[in-house]
Amino acid sequence: MSFTVNLRSVTLEYGAEPALADVDLDLEAGKIYGLLGRNGAGKTSLLSLLAAFRKPTSGEVLVGGEPVWENAPIVSRVALIREGGDFDDTETVKGTIESGQIRPSFDTDYAFALADRFEVPLKKRVNALSRGKRSVLAALCGLAARAELTMFDEVHLGMDAPTRDAFYKELLAEYMDRPHTVILSTHLIDEVANYLEEVVIVDKGRILRHADIETFQGMGATLTGPAAAVDALGLEPLAEQRLGGTKSITVAALDAAARERAAAAGIEVGPVGLQDLFIHLTAPQDRNGA
Amino acid sequence: MPTLANLRLPTRRYALGAGITAEALKYFKYWIAAALVLAFAFPFAVSQWNDITISAWYYAANGGKWFTAFVGGGFLFVLVPNMVATGLTRRELAVSMGIFGVLWSLAIGAIAFAGLLAERAYYGAMGWSHGIDANDAIAPIGSAAETAAFGAHYPLVYLVYFTAGALIGVASYRWEGAGWLLLVPVLPVVFSLDNALYDTEPVGPGWAGFLGGAIGDWGRGLIVALLLVTVAGLAAAAYRILIDIPLRAKKA
């Protein structure tokens, strides 16, 4: 069984500052979600509410259809892995892994196998690990939690590229073996884009967009051609660039009719990568491109 | 923690409390052994050129109060983010810490009690006087029964210190940089009751036990009752701070 997620009119304030404002969000069970947002957008705050790390100022946070706050049967099957992990730094790696057994579902053998595969030394203390190894330890504890809702919040920071690749593959293998709900919060968008089924973009404490990956992939388009022809389409650009008489614009949506007119005008239509789309969607004031 | 293997959800808070106690005793076993060795070796060394009139174990046991307070506070400070992030509820953590506090205080109290009786026999065998520094005068602890009665309160006193430490620890996690200020109301209460119970100044800033002289005449039964009320009050305050504590954001 994997968990659904429902947020109903959720607001979280730090003092007078709202980190999340009146957020409604529904996530189906058994999918891999990407949670994207700029620094300070509210991603970590959102994940903290789902893992009961924090209590919302107002609103309702449901996981698996039940309130998550102080709900042992639910939180014991929810894992939020933050960058660097929430460890006792004086503990050994072995002791840290074993403390995961507080979750009845924790797979200790799997955790030790991953530690061996990723070459995390069991006898070392956590505070003696490099940043990369510490990230790996956090990630492997998250995978071995065998939770029904697993969230990784920038957990790959510090990992080198081959390790990140191995982590994503292991995450996917674990997901295929045991379908559950996964949320990946990351700034390395293009690295994880192929693994995502749905994407949630948070901006300034609100849900800016939530759609499946195909919708995002079909959402944006880059149109490049003679400036006059591009302007004649009358599209609202997210960003634009001009080089001599050639103009390139990025649009958030391009319907079939506009696509036909563009093709007829000799304008080249290309896809927009998820990362580029994200950049444009979260920086709407930047209309002139860089 | 080997005791965590095969935990079941409905009972994990109890197993965790017992497991933390076992691990803590295991972790600090050399500290405890060192206190034992020093408390018994030091008077022997001093006896080579001076009369022994005062219990060394009394100081070791008093140091144990501070040690216990640091264990209560330090463990809770570390365990809050660690355990909540591992899927434990705050209520479960509170129960685990309660069990840990009681078991730890009983264990350390039993060691303190046994150490005091052993020291009495040791002092008797060596022909030394077994006394304490009771408000600037050395007073003998007394007969074996009186020594046992004197030491019997150690578990309860340790529990008071543990709970006070836990309160300061959880407040320090919640109100980073300001939580320790709870020492201002907590320390005089704990020190005064300690002072009243033993008719002597506790190790540390003894002036903080300024109320001890006033309540020292109320009778031991009433002071023990006050200690129990204090444990309940401190535990209730720590629970209140813990029950909706937010985990701190990670810092780069």
Side-chain angles (χ1 to χ4, degrees), chain B residues 44-135:
Chain B
F44 182 78
V46 172
S47 71
Q48 305 306 307
W49 64 87
N50 238 334
D51 290 338
I52 301 298
T53 58
I54 201 159
S55 163
W57 184 248
Y58 175 72
Y59 289 99
N62 265 344
K65 295 172 189 170
W66 278 97
F67 177 54
T68 291
F70 281 114
V71 166
F75 271 60
L76 191 51
F77 185 88
V78 170
L79 287 177
V80 166
N82 196 343
M83 293 291 108
V84 172
T86 317
L88 203 72
T89 65
R90 291 151 183 83
R91 197 173 291 117
E92 288 178 303
L93 178 58
V95 172
S96 299
M97 281 302 292
I99 291 168
F100 173 37
V102 169
L103 294 179
W104 171 270
S105 302
L106 281 173
I108 299 296
I111 292 168
F113 178 77
L116 194 68
L117 288 178
E119 186 186 60
R120 186 177 187 282
Y122 173 51
Y123 274 40
M126 301 299 287
W128 300 334
S129 169
H130 197 215
I132 56 166
D133 183 4
N135 292 328

Side-chain angles (χ1 to χ4, degrees), chain A residues 94-114:
Chain A
K94 183 172 182 286
T96 300
I97 288 174
E98 286 172 345
S99 71
Q101 294 169 337
I102 289 166
R103 297 178 194 278
S105 61
F106 190 81
D107 189 337
T108 312
D109 293 339
Y110 178 48
F112 282 132
L114 288 175

Side-chain angles (χ1 to χ4, degrees), chain A residues 213-238:
Chain A
I213 194 76
E214 289 81 13
T215 303
F216 274 99
Q217 284 167 342
M219 185 185 281
T222 303
L223 297 97
T224 307
V230 171
D231 288 340
L233 291 172
L235 297 171
E236 178 73 23
L238 292 170

Side-chain angles (χ1 to χ4, degrees), chain A residues 52-53 70 82-83 85 102, chain B residues 12 85 90-91 247-248 250:
Chain A
F53 282 17
E70 287 296 281
R82 305 196 288 183
E83 196 244 320
I102 289 166
Chain B
R12 65 176 177 173
R90 291 151 183 83
R91 197 173 291 117
L247 260 57
R248 287 183 193 163
K250 300 283 284 183

Side-chain angles (χ1 to χ4, degrees), chain B:
Chain B
M1 212 183 290
T3 47
L4 297 183
N6 307 314
L7 277 188
R8 289 172 55 246
L9 190 64
T11 55
R12 65 176 177 173
R13 55 192 181 276
Y14 309 118
L16 183 62
I20 294 171
T21 311
E23 288 297 313
L25 288 170
K26 203 167 95 184
Y27 185 82
F28 289 117
K29 65 186 178 209
Y30 295 117
W31 293 45
I32 295 166
L36 276 163
V37 170
L38 277 175
F40 281 75
F42 187 69
F44 182 78
V46 172
S47 71
Q48 305 306 307
W49 64 87
N50 238 334
D51 290 338
I52 301 298
T53 58
I54 201 159
S55 163
W57 184 248
Y58 175 72
Y59 289 99
N62 265 344
K65 295 172 189 170
W66 278 97
F67 177 54
T68 291
F70 281 114
V71 166
F75 271 60
L76 191 51
F77 185 88
V78 170
L79 287 177
V80 166
N82 196 343
M83 293 291 108
V84 172
T86 317
L88 203 72
T89 65
R90 291 151 183 83
R91 197 173 291 117
E92 288 178 303
L93 178 58
V95 172
S96 299
M97 281 302 292
I99 291 168
F100 173 37
V102 169
L103 294 179
W104 171 270
S105 302
L106 281 173
I108 299 296
I111 292 168
F113 178 77
L116 194 68
L117 288 178
E119 186 186 60
R120 186 177 187 282
Y122 173 51
Y123 274 40
M126 301 299 287
W128 300 334
S129 169
H130 197 215
I132 56 166
D133 183 4
N135 292 328
D136 301 328
I138 307 252
I141 299 175
S143 65
E146 285 167 328
T147 305
F150 184 88
H153 295 108
Y154 275 126
L156 177 59
V157 174
Y158 286 135
L159 187 57
V160 174
Y161 276 83
F162 182 96
T163 318
L167 174 61
I168 305 297
V170 73
S172 297
Y173 184 84
R174 181 157 195 160
W175 298 294
E176 191 179 4
W180 65 272
L181 287 171
L182 272 179
L183 270 172
V184 175
V186 168
L187 196 62
V189 172
V190 173
F191 264 37
S192 295
L193 287 169
D194 189 346
N195 186 345
L197 186 68
Y198 288 115
D199 290 327
T200 182
E201 285 190 351
V203 173
W207 52 266
F210 61 93
L211 292 173
I215 59 178
D217 300 330
W218 291 2
R220 190 147 287 189
L222 188 55
I223 295 168
V224 167
L226 281 174
L227 282 166
L228 287 167
V229 169
T230 303
V231 167
L234 292 170
Y239 180 83
R240 181 64 200 86
I241 294 170
L242 174 64
I243 200 63
D244 58 359
I245 199 166
L247 260 57
R248 287 183 193 163
K250 300 283 284 183
K251 289 175 183 167

Side-chain angles (χ1 to χ4, degrees), chain A residues 201-213:
Chain A
I201 299 179
V202 185
D203 192 43
K204 295 172 184 160
R206 295 178 186 277
I207 304 297
L208 184 67
R209 297 284 170 103
H210 173 203
D212 57 47
I213 194 76

